[in-house]
Amino acid sequence: MKDGKPMLSVPTQKIAPKPGKRFGGAVMTLEFSAGDKKGFYRPTLALLADPSDLSSGDGSTYTYTIIVE
């Protein structure tokens, strides 16, 4: 989420037209700011079956672990 709104992926072709057309798919940007709080942070990305329905998760997720020392 950014400014309280979900951040959705964009088609790869929008970012890099020529290779994006060839490879397809989508790209999602992940921004993370931990500030000065030490600990483990685990932002999770989830795929949607229907991009127009934010509750349509298809069960696919990927979690990053960020360690702030």
Side-chain angles (χ1 to χ4, degrees):
M1 299 193 96
K2 182 175 184 178
D3 300 325
K5 297 179 183 176
M7 292 174 57
L8 301 177
S9 61
V10 296
T12 306
Q13 189 172 357
K14 269 190 158 179
I15 295 170
K18 191 172 181 179
K21 185 176 182 179
R22 184 172 50 239
F23 298 123
V27 174
M28 181 180 287
T29 302
L30 174 65
E31 281 185 37
F32 183 84
S33 298
D36 61 355
K37 302 279 186 181
K38 293 182 180 182
F40 288 79
Y41 296 87
R42 294 188 173 91
T44 299
L45 306 175
L47 299 180
L48 300 176
D50 177 3
S52 64
D53 178 4
L54 298 179
S55 64
S56 70
D58 73 355
S60 300
T61 61
Y62 188 85
T63 301
Y64 289 89
T65 300
I66 300 165
I67 303 169
V68 177
E69 299 179 335

